[in-house]
Amino acid sequence: MSNSSYDFTLIKAGLLVDGNGGNNLQKASVLLKDGLIKGIGNQESVLAPEGASVKVLDYGDKTILPGLIDCHVHLNGIGDGRVGNDLVTLPDEVLTLQSAKNARAHLYSGVTTIRDCGAKNNTTFMLRKAVEMGISPSPRLILTGRPISIVGGHLGYFGEEATGEVECVKSVRRLIKQGADFIKITATGGSTVTSLPYRPSFTKQEIQSITGEAHKMGKHVAAHCTSSVGINNALDSGVDTIIHGYHFDSDGTFNYRPEITEKFIEKGVFLNPTIYQGRKTIKVLESKQDQGTLTQMERENLETSRYRSEKVAEIVSKMVSEGVKLACGSDASWSYYKTGDFQSEISAHVSVGLSPIEAIVSATKDSAKSCWIDDKVGTLSENKIADILVVDGDPTKDINNLRNVVDVISNGELVDRGNLI
Amino acid sequence: MHRNKKVILASQIIDGTGRKPLEESAILVEDSIIVEVANKSEIFQIVKDQEYDLLDYTGFVLIPGMVDCHTHHNGFGDGRLGDDVSEISDEILTLKSSSNARVALFSGITTIRENGPKNMTMFRLRDAIKSGIEIGPRMNLCGRPVCVIGGHMGYFGGEVTGVFEATRFVRSLIKEGADYIKITQTGGTTRTSFPLLPAFNIDELSAITNEAKKFGKLTATHCVSTEGTINSLDTGVDMVIHAVFKEPDGTDKFRPNIAERLAEAQVYVNPTLHVFRARAWEMERLALKRALSKNEIKLLDSHRRNFDQRLIDCSKMMEMGVKVITGSDSSWGDYKIGNTIHETECIYMAGYSASQSFHSVTLGAAKALDMDNIVGSLEVGKKADMVVVEGNPLEEIGNLRNIHEVIFDGNIIDRGSKDSNKVYIQSAPSNN
């Protein structure tokens, strides 16, 4: 639905949460022109210039806030529990279809920007091209293409294994040439069958060659880390966002490391803790257990997930209380976490000690910061892109009100969430 | 095991078999299959004491899900040539195909025969549908069209030379999942092809049709000049597409003896009338915005004359008893998927009665695809593919556009918002 026949769009709402974490504004208006926010304030003061044509979207007592930014998604994912090793056996065309389906689900659920943290071959770059051609609706895409991994490392099956500093630099350059907006690396193993989740992968020198090249080209680096040594390597080597940040030792025990917290704070690095991912796995597996259909492998998965989930909550709470900044990213549709439910990860941030308003900031302004796009999106402020979410109820009182999506505005255009074409 | 039962009511049921519209009747569906078509009271007698869903379309007309014998899911319908479409990556073409598949389904087309995509794109889409990632109509696929080097649609990846390569390629297509074999027996819009000349030699064409027959697969040939149609008749092709009567020098010349042979051999003809008119429509639309140049006026004139000629030739074929079916050719050229009924209306204009035209997009089309055992009419044992329309299409064929609901494989299809379903609609140019 195009608003382009109007010079201005004026959005009115009972409550405005601007994403900066400060006080809410009652009876607010936001004025849009050419896809940008041109005015913001109370309804008496924010008006279109006299004589201009205006489309008015009056949301009455509803709440408006910045469009949500999910800083960790996997567009290729199906969310039915299958592991990446199985996912990559699907042809690129099918994975691109799944990516388009997920992109749509993100957008319709209120997420206006996503950072994809790893996909097979060129599938996400192809999706972006298709979106530009008008074939498929999508949120703003921040893409890495393929994550860089060591040989046999986590997500290596997506097609970007590198060894040594030269190959690492080459990988960064190749990805940027293909359109990467940032670089994702796997600094430890993970669920990938041939990888070791409790062990580091790249050497510090290799990581430094990646961050150096990426930063030179104005791109940030996010690192998957599920071991304390891996986190330390990444933090010492200039990585900008730590994903998961699990404090596993090589023996599989989870132990809090105060020096990691200190480094996070000192370097201003964001933590994307992916809390709900584990909880979702537990939920699904427990219901399988109730039905008596749990396999031996799933039973083991359930046990590790429970242990990890409990520890993650405990340690992330501790880190938050010490002042570590969180960037909200769902990890959907990895494993069992289906796309379209980013709100569950935001709620999980509340569960580890953030206030609802802080959780909203972690999923808007701070998520934008961690993606290096806070000059464009993440808050409702003048001259930023008009990505706006309208919800029913006050999410700063109850974070679950974020689920009551009324409308989504992307680039100043009202999204037709019923468009299935 | 609990079966999912549905009783479907409508003011009229046109079952597609050619008998009079049924009133006071209902259809009983179990899972994805039609298990009874009978008087309402009989149906309710059958299901009494059982659990079932009632779908009441009183005020509407229930018809079989429609069948389009000729689609191009890779296409955009925005005037671009196949040469340019084929430059786009397989991933993107698969996405476009998927979007077109949904549009087709939302517009009431529950079975399509795709007439030539690039590489594996349509097979991939069908895989994605099978695995539940996507939705789309039933698909009758050819994979890549078989063509000579530089021939029409060669850019999609199906160029072969000689009996050996032709035979091997047919086997490869069948291995990949082809349901029928599409051959371009004359050139076409493809820049390097020759539309007025035949493509394969007879031994090559025979090799293709024989190999297809051996595996029980039908064949269809693209023919935009008469010689191609003659070759097709000589080699036992099952459907001739376009069937344009043009001599090698480009003159239009209807050849009654060829039409007679088409009728005798019971070869289906897919005349693709509207795709010729679609170009004229776009130019007429342009003319409403600005004055056309001399060249454009000439071009528009030739498109109109071409369409009129096709219509006349099609009427003659109909009169001689040739079996004509609806195959839109969308989204090729300027013709967008989701507008199949334009073609059915052209068939009506060419001389079929409303009832024959209706048949051409339902049971007739299903027969042409050898799928009438599962689709094409609302009969016991067939798939529960049906469309609820407003207004009787046998009185006004255009009523086939007034889609109220689409039921596919026994399930109601969520077609999304009204606005989104307006986007693909193409209408005749008008000042409004």
Side-chain angles (χ1 to χ4, degrees):
Chain A
M1 228 188 290
S2 177
N3 306 338
S4 51
S5 47
Y6 297 90
D7 296 334
F8 289 90
T9 304
L10 186 67
I11 299 172
K12 296 179 173 184
L15 194 67
L16 181 145
V17 179
D18 70 2
N20 282 308
N23 286 337
N24 302 335
L25 192 59
Q26 309 279 342
K27 289 210 165 296
S29 276
V30 180
L31 186 67
L32 316 182
K33 188 178 194 308
D34 302 326
L36 299 179
I37 296 172
K38 284 296 172 191
I40 185 162
N42 59 48
Q43 291 181 355
E44 289 75 40
S45 62
V46 177
L47 296 164
E50 217 153 297
S53 63
V54 192
K55 180 191 175 89
V56 178
L57 297 171
D58 190 343
Y59 289 109
D61 62 350
K62 306 281 187 286
T63 304
I64 55 174
L65 69 155
L68 302 175
I69 299 173
D70 188 339
C71 75
H72 185 169
V73 308
H74 289 285
L75 286 168
N76 277 186
I78 293 177
D80 59 356
R82 76 180 83 186
V83 294
N85 290 78
D86 294 331
L87 196 62
V88 288
T89 60
L90 294 174
D92 291 9
E93 295 94 327
V94 174
L95 290 174
T96 310
L97 286 173
Q98 179 63 29
S99 299
K101 187 178 173 181
N102 282 335
R104 183 195 303 259
H106 280 299
L107 183 62
Y108 293 0
S109 67
V111 178
T112 51
T113 301
I114 51 178
R115 175 167 67 181
D116 185 272
C117 284
K120 189 184 171 196
N121 297 338
N122 293 324
T123 51
T124 50
F125 294 137
M126 287 302 160
L127 171 65
R128 170 144 70 194
K129 227 177 182 175
V131 171
E132 285 165 3
M133 290 167 79
I135 294 172
S136 218
S138 170
R140 188 177 319 287
L141 295 170
I142 310 295
L143 303 179
T144 186
R146 305 171 294 286
I148 307 176
S149 112
I150 62 163
V151 171
H154 186 43
L155 309 185
Y157 41 58
F158 283 149
E160 198 65 48
E161 291 179 340
T163 311
E165 294 161 55
V166 174
E167 277 189 23
C168 284
V169 168
K170 212 187 240 182
S171 285
V172 171
R173 291 181 182 164
R174 182 165 40 227
L175 290 165
I176 291 174
K177 178 185 171 191
Q178 290 177 333
D181 305 298
F182 80 107
I183 301 298
K184 158 86 182 273
I185 66 168
T186 55
T188 68
S191 60
T192 301
V193 176
T194 53
S195 76
L196 303 168
Y198 306 146
R199 302 269 174 175
S201 59
F202 285 116
T203 64
K204 282 191 192 179
Q205 288 78 10
E206 285 170 320
I207 300 176
Q208 277 158 19
S209 72
I210 292 170
T211 55
E213 191 62 21
H215 290 161
K216 187 181 89 185
M217 306 299 281
K219 312 290 181 191
H220 67 281
V221 179
H224 158 103
C225 300
T226 55
S227 91
S228 294
V229 180
I231 301 171
N232 270 312
N233 286 347
L235 286 171
D236 291 343
S237 308
V239 161
D240 307 287
T241 296
I242 300 289
I243 294 165
H244 309 304
Y246 302 158
H247 290 37
F248 275 113
D249 288 329
S250 58
D251 63 358
T253 59
F254 207 113
N255 302 296
Y256 180 62
R257 302 280 172 203
E259 79 276 11
I260 289 180
T261 299
E262 280 163 27
K263 272 186 207 168
F264 261 106
I265 292 163
E266 181 203 321
K267 293 171 188 285
V269 168
F270 280 100
L271 172 65
N272 162 218
T274 64
I275 301 160
Y276 187 69
Q277 175 65 268
R279 293 182 184 169
K280 178 74 187 191
T281 300
I282 294 167
K283 253 192 201 178
V284 173
L285 295 182
E286 277 179 348
S287 83
K288 278 192 172 185
Q289 192 173 38
D290 292 345
Q291 291 160 15
T293 59
L294 207 62
T295 64
Q296 181 55 35
M297 227 162 83
E298 285 170 337
R299 190 178 313 281
E300 283 164 24
N301 188 359
L302 180 57
E303 274 162 30
T304 20
S305 294
R306 276 177 179 152
Y307 173 68
R308 192 178 58 206
S309 197
E310 192 185 308
K311 288 290 180 182
V312 165
E314 183 189 314
I315 283 165
V316 174
S317 303
K318 175 96 178 124
M319 292 172 86
V320 165
S321 70
E322 298 281 332
V324 173
K325 289 246 179 209
L326 301 190
C328 201
S330 63
D331 205 4
S333 288
W334 201 254
S335 191
Y336 290 103
Y337 193 167
K338 278 201 194 319
T339 295
D341 186 24
F342 182 39
Q343 283 83 347
S344 285
E345 181 65 14
I346 304 176
S347 296
H349 277 199
V350 174
S351 78
V352 292
L354 267 61
S355 70
I357 189 123
E358 286 168 342
I360 290 170
V361 171
S362 80
T364 54
K365 186 188 184 181
D366 283 352
S367 199
K369 271 191 179 169
S370 87
C371 295
W372 290 18
I373 49 169
D374 51 312
D375 57 328
K376 296 190 186 72
V377 292
T379 58
L380 298 182
S381 25
E382 252 175 64
N383 292 320
K384 284 208 179 166
I385 295 169
D387 286 357
I388 300 169
L389 175 60
V390 187
V391 297
D392 196 2
D394 181 355
T396 64
K397 290 213 174 81
D398 179 357
I399 198 68
N400 284 310
N401 284 328
L402 281 183
R403 297 176 192 276
N404 310 330
V405 176
V406 174
D407 259 336
V408 177
I409 292 155
S410 168
N411 281 311
E413 299 277 326
L414 186 60
V415 173
D416 177 3
R417 297 191 298 132
N419 177 8
L420 303 181
I421 291 165
Chain B
M1 203 183 90
H2 173 72
R3 288 200 177 272
N4 178 6
K5 286 194 174 69
K6 289 187 183 81
V7 172
I8 305 173
L9 302 178
S11 288
Q12 285 185 309
I13 297 174
I14 303 174
D15 67 4
T17 61
R19 64 171 159 159
K20 272 203 316 202
L22 312 172
E23 292 181 11
E24 293 300 310
S25 297
I27 292 185
L28 177 61
V29 170
E30 238 178 64
D31 294 333
S32 68
I33 303 290
I34 296 171
V35 294
E36 196 61 73
V37 184
N39 201 280
K40 263 188 216 172
S41 52
E42 275 176 58
I43 298 274
F44 284 120
Q45 189 61 31
I46 295 169
V47 294
K48 84 171 162 80
D49 310 327
Q50 295 180 19
E51 257 183 61
Y52 65 91
D53 293 324
L54 180 67
L55 307 181
D56 187 352
Y57 298 112
T58 302
F60 295 93
V61 182
L62 188 66
I63 63 167
M66 292 183 276
V67 180
D68 188 336
C69 289
H70 188 161
T71 61
H72 288 283
H73 275 63
N74 280 186
F76 290 74
D78 60 358
R80 78 180 87 183
L81 277 178
D83 294 77
D84 300 328
V85 171
S86 71
E87 297 285 321
I88 299 169
S89 76
D90 292 11
E91 293 93 332
I92 296 175
L93 289 178
T94 309
L95 278 178
K96 183 66 194 176
S97 300
S98 147
S99 167
N100 277 334
R102 283 183 298 243
V103 168
L105 189 57
F106 296 172
S107 73
I109 306 297
T110 50
T111 300
I112 58 108
R113 175 188 260 190
E114 216 281 347
N115 266 245
K118 188 182 171 194
N119 297 338
M120 302 289 283
T121 51
M122 284 306 287
F123 292 136
R124 297 290 190 236
L125 173 59
R126 183 160 64 184
D127 288 347
I129 291 171
K130 273 187 191 157
S131 64
I133 289 174
E134 275 300 340
I135 59 159
R138 259 171 244 295
M139 294 182 172
N140 190 271
L141 304 181
C142 66
R144 297 158 312 285
V146 189
C147 57
V148 298
I149 290 179
H152 187 41
M153 302 197 193
Y155 40 62
F156 285 152
E159 292 180 341
V160 296
T161 311
V163 168
F164 173 78
E165 277 186 23
T167 307
R168 186 169 62 180
F169 188 58
V170 170
R171 290 178 188 169
S172 297
L173 288 172
I174 292 171
K175 178 185 171 193
E176 288 165 13
D179 303 296
Y180 80 105
I181 303 298
K182 161 94 184 256
I183 309 147
T184 59
Q185 184 50 18
T186 67
T189 52
T190 302
R191 292 188 182 105
T192 52
S193 76
F194 298 90
L196 298 173
L197 301 176
F200 285 111
N201 296 332
I202 289 296
D203 62 337
E204 293 168 309
L205 190 56
S206 297
I208 297 166
T209 57
N210 287 337
E211 197 60 22
K213 273 204 187 84
K214 196 173 93 185
F215 290 102
K217 305 294 179 190
L218 297 177
T219 52
T221 47
H222 156 103
C223 301
V224 293
S225 49
T226 313
E227 192 63 26
T229 304
I230 296 171
N231 297 155
S232 304
L233 281 163
D234 289 346
T235 52
V237 165
D238 304 291
M239 182 189 290
V240 174
I241 297 159
H242 311 303
V244 175
F245 285 96
K246 262 190 201 298
E247 298 299 304
D249 64 0
T251 52
D252 290 300
K253 184 179 169 195
F254 184 75
R255 307 256 295 262
N257 60 323
I258 307 302
E260 215 163 82
R261 283 185 68 192
L262 285 167
E264 248 166 49
Q266 304 218 14
V267 171
Y268 283 95
V269 166
N270 164 211
T272 67
L273 300 165
H274 179 72
V275 75
F276 295 105
R277 183 172 63 166
R279 188 81 277 260
W281 276 12
E282 287 320 304
M283 296 194 74
E284 286 164 9
R285 230 186 290 282
L286 191 64
L288 292 172
K289 286 189 198 146
R290 64 160 173 83
L292 296 182
S293 71
K294 264 191 187 154
N295 253 340
E296 286 170 333
I297 292 168
K298 248 168 90 182
L299 218 61
L300 172 57
D301 189 48
S302 99
H303 287 310
R304 281 175 175 158
R305 269 187 292 124
N306 197 18
F307 174 64
D308 290 343
Q309 189 63 50
R310 301 283 76 78
L311 216 52
I312 292 166
D313 291 353
C314 187
S315 312
K316 287 179 183 162
M317 284 193 276
M318 286 169 169
E319 275 167 28
M320 298 176 79
V322 174
K323 292 198 274 191
V324 174
I325 44 80
T326 293
S328 63
D329 205 2
S330 58
S331 289
W332 198 260
D334 298 277
Y335 192 176
K336 278 189 170 48
I337 273 183
N339 298 277
T340 300
I341 304 313
H342 288 325
E343 178 66 11
T344 310
E345 275 180 337
C346 286
I347 284 173
Y348 177 75
M349 279 165 70
Y352 264 5
S353 67
S355 152
Q356 286 172 310
S357 303
F358 179 77
H359 183 74
S360 85
V361 71
T362 52
L363 189 57
K367 281 183 175 164
L369 306 185
D370 198 19
M371 290 177 77
D372 55 309
N373 56 330
I374 55 166
V375 296
S377 59
L378 301 176
E379 291 179 273
V380 172
K382 288 200 183 184
K383 286 286 182 186
D385 292 358
M386 30 190 120
V387 181
V388 182
V389 296
E390 210 178 329
N392 186 339
L394 299 181
E395 282 159 16
E396 163 58 51
I397 199 78
N399 284 333
L400 290 175
R401 286 197 192 88
N402 307 334
I403 307 292
H404 175 71
E405 190 104 274
V406 176
I407 296 166
F408 177 66
D409 214 37
N411 295 312
I412 291 176
I413 294 295
D414 178 3
R415 299 184 300 131
S417 67
K418 277 211 168 79
D419 280 336
S420 63
N421 278 282
K422 285 178 191 155
V423 175
Y424 54 82
I425 301 296
Q426 289 179 311
S427 314
S430 80
N431 270 315
N432 317 318

